[in-house]
Amino acid sequence: MALRLCSLQLLRSRPGSVCRLFSLTAPASQAGNQEVTALYTPEHNAIRDSLRKIIDTEINPYVDQWEKEEQFPAHHVFKILGRAGMLGVSKQTEYGGMGLDFSYSIAIAEELGNINCGGIPMAIGVQSDMATPALSRFGSDELKRQFLTPTIAGDVVACLGVSETGGGSDVASIKTNAVRKGDDYIINGSKMWITNGCQADWMCLLTNTSAGAPHKNKSLICLPMKTPGVHIAKKIDKMGMKSSDTAQIFFEDVRVPSKYLIGEEGMGFVYQMLQFQEERMWGAANVLTAMENIVQGTIKYTSERKIFNQPLLDNQTVHFRLAELSTEVELLRSLLHRTVGLYIDGNDVTKLASMAKLKAGRLARELSDSCLQFWGGMGFTNEVLVSRFYRDSRLLSIGAGADEVMLSIICKYMGTLPRKK
C-alpha cells in the first residue's frame, strides 16, 4: 500500500501532469512491453504497476477456484481494491476518489485484463465505471455520500439495472416503472442479466417514472437491494464469465425515498447513454491486455509444440496469422486512446466509442477463435486460458449494446441510417 500512497501523493502534487496527453516517453507498464503511447504518463503506469501487484497476489491465485464455484467474493476483492484507490480514480476526491481524468480509468481497465478470466474484471468495471458515473455527475451530495463514497471504498457492491427480458439493447423499451406516491417511489417490474446482482448492496436502476415519450420518461434511482420487495429470482447459468454472478431480479411494490433519484426526473435515458459511452470505452480497454496475453501464450505454446518435426510456430500460416492479430490489437488500442483523449477534452465521442466497442467485440471473437485453433485439442479443454477467453469474450459483442446497435449508431453519425417511416 506504500506504493499506492506514494503514487497518490505524486499525482496530487503534480496536477498539471494529469493532462499531459502527448508524452511520448512513458515507460512500459510491464517487462518486455516496449510500446510507446501518447495517452499514458508515468503516473498512469505507476497506478497500473500497483494494480498488477494486487492482481498477482490477491486475485489470480484464486481465479480457478472462483471459476469452479461460479462466483467470486466481491466484498472481499472490492475492499482490497478500494483500499488501494482503484475503484474511484476518476471520481471526486471529497467522496474518496482520486479526482483524475477518465484516461486513468481506462489505464486500470487495460491492467485488469491481466486477470485470468473475464468475469472478475467485468464485475470490477460495473463497480467503478458503469453503475456510478451518473451518480458521480448528477447525484446530490447526500446521495453521493450515502452510495458513492462506500462504493469507491469497496465497502459495498454495486450493480446496474438496465436490461430486461424484453429490453436489452433497446433501452427505450424497458417496462419497469416507479410511481411517485408522496415522498416515495413505488417500483414494480424486473431486470435481467444483472452483473453482481446476487451480491450487490445497491443498484443504479433505470426505470420509467412517467407515461411520456420513451426517451423522456425514464429516471435513474439508487435502490438498496435489501429493500422489501426486491427478489433475486435466480442466478443465471452462463456459457462464460463463470466467476461473475449474474442475476434475474424482480421488484414487487418496492418503496424507496424520492430523494434517491439521481439528478432530474425524466433524464434517466440521457444519463444512461452517457454511462454507456464510458462503459463501451472501458470494455474495449479491458480486452486489449487479455488479447495480448492470449497471443503471447499462443506463441509460447506453438514454439514448444512440434508437428512434422518442427515447431508449429515455424509454419507461415501460424506466425503470419499471429502477426496480423497483433497488428489488429494495436490498431484497436490507437483508436481507443484517440477516443479517450477526445473524450476527456470534452468532445462527443459517441461514434468513435461505438466503433471501438464494435471492433473490440469482433476482434476478441476472431482472435480467440484463431488462437484456439493453433492449440489444437488442448484448446478444446478447460485447462488453458485461451478456451476460457474464447467463452468469456463472446459477451463483448452482446453486452452494453450489441454489434448491430453499434453499427446503427455509427450509421446515424455517418448519415446513412434510413429514417423511420
Side-chain angles (χ1 to χ4, degrees), residues 242-256:
K242 292 291 188 179
S243 54
S244 172
D245 60 284
T246 308
Q248 181 181 21
I249 301 171
F250 288 93
F251 312 111
E252 183 179 0
D253 293 330
V254 178
R255 182 182 293 268
V256 297

Side-chain angles (χ1 to χ4, degrees), residues 180-185 221 256-263 265:
R180 185 75 175 263
K181 288 190 176 181
D183 293 330
D184 296 329
Y185 284 108
I221 296 174
V256 297
S258 59
K259 65 180 181 180
Y260 285 3
L261 173 73
I262 297 175
E265 187 172 281

Side-chain angles (χ1 to χ4, degrees), residues 90-92 95 102 132-140 144 148 262-263 270-278 281 343:
S90 59
K91 303 299 190 296
Q92 303 98 315
Y95 304 107
F102 186 64
T132 53
L135 173 60
S136 176
R137 272 187 205 156
F138 306 110
S140 66
K144 283 186 274 195
L148 182 62
I262 297 175
V270 174
Y271 295 162
Q272 185 52 45
M273 291 305 104
L274 292 173
Q275 290 194 141
F276 272 149
Q277 295 312 309
E278 295 194 359
M281 287 185 279
Y343 180 69

Side-chain angles (χ1 to χ4, degrees), residues 130-397:
M130 299 175 203
T132 53
L135 173 60
S136 176
R137 272 187 205 156
F138 306 110
S140 66
D141 176 72
E142 179 183 358
L143 206 58
K144 283 186 274 195
R145 294 194 184 281
Q146 183 172 350
F147 291 97
L148 182 62
T149 297
T151 301
I152 291 172
D155 292 330
V156 299
V157 173
C159 65
L160 177 63
V162 176
S163 295
E164 300 178 3
T165 52
S169 292
D170 183 9
V171 175
S173 69
I174 65 167
K175 304 300 182 186
T176 298
N177 67 86
V179 178
R180 185 75 175 263
K181 288 190 176 181
D183 293 330
D184 296 329
Y185 284 108
I186 309 299
I187 303 169
N188 285 280
S190 65
K191 294 295 176 181
M192 190 70 167
W193 322 116
I194 305 305
T195 299
N196 297 343
C198 296
Q199 300 185 73
D201 298 289
W202 72 277
M203 172 186 286
C204 179
L205 172 72
L206 183 68
T207 179
N208 298 317
T209 48
S210 74
H215 297 94
K216 298 179 180 179
N217 73 335
K218 293 171 175 55
S219 301
L220 285 175
I221 296 174
C222 293
L223 171 62
M225 293 294 284
K226 292 183 180 179
T227 305
V230 176
H231 305 291
I232 299 174
K234 68 176 180 177
K235 179 181 172 184
I236 298 169
D237 185 18
K238 311 182 299 296
M239 67 171 281
M241 300 292 192
K242 292 291 188 179
S243 54
S244 172
D245 60 284
T246 308
Q248 181 181 21
I249 301 171
F250 288 93
F251 312 111
E252 183 179 0
D253 293 330
V254 178
R255 182 182 293 268
V256 297
S258 59
K259 65 180 181 180
Y260 285 3
L261 173 73
I262 297 175
E264 299 179 33
E265 187 172 281
M267 289 294 291
F269 186 88
V270 174
Y271 295 162
Q272 185 52 45
M273 291 305 104
L274 292 173
Q275 290 194 141
F276 272 149
Q277 295 312 309
E278 295 194 359
E279 179 175 349
R280 288 162 185 167
M281 287 185 279
W282 195 98
N286 182 239
V287 80
L288 285 171
T289 303
M291 288 193 292
E292 287 178 330
N293 290 342
I294 293 301
V295 169
Q296 290 302 314
T298 303
I299 290 172
K300 184 176 186 298
Y301 179 77
T302 55
S303 66
E304 296 171 350
R305 172 75 187 278
K306 289 189 176 182
I307 184 169
F308 304 123
N309 296 319
Q310 68 171 352
L312 185 59
L313 183 62
D314 287 358
N315 289 278
Q316 190 178 80
T317 298
V318 178
H319 57 253
F320 270 19
R321 181 59 177 150
L322 293 174
E324 289 176 339
L325 293 170
S326 184
T327 300
E328 291 292 313
V329 172
E330 287 304 323
L331 288 170
L332 174 59
R333 175 178 280 111
S334 295
L335 170 60
L336 175 66
H337 284 198
R338 179 189 173 213
T339 304
V340 173
L342 290 169
Y343 180 69
I344 63 179
D345 279 344
N347 297 285
D348 177 8
V349 297
T350 304
K351 183 176 79 169
L352 290 176
S354 300
M355 288 177 168
K357 199 269 186 185
L358 172 70
K359 181 62 178 178
R362 292 190 166 182
L363 179 57
R365 291 155 63 185
E366 180 184 358
L367 184 145
S368 62
D369 184 72
S370 293
C371 288
L372 189 148
Q373 183 70 20
F374 297 148
W375 282 76
M378 282 302 297
F380 201 65
T381 72
N382 288 326
E383 297 179 18
V384 292
L385 284 179
V386 66
S387 63
R388 183 180 292 169
F389 182 73
Y390 181 87
R391 298 189 306 272
D392 289 352
S393 63
R394 187 61 182 84
L395 178 62
L396 191 55
S397 285

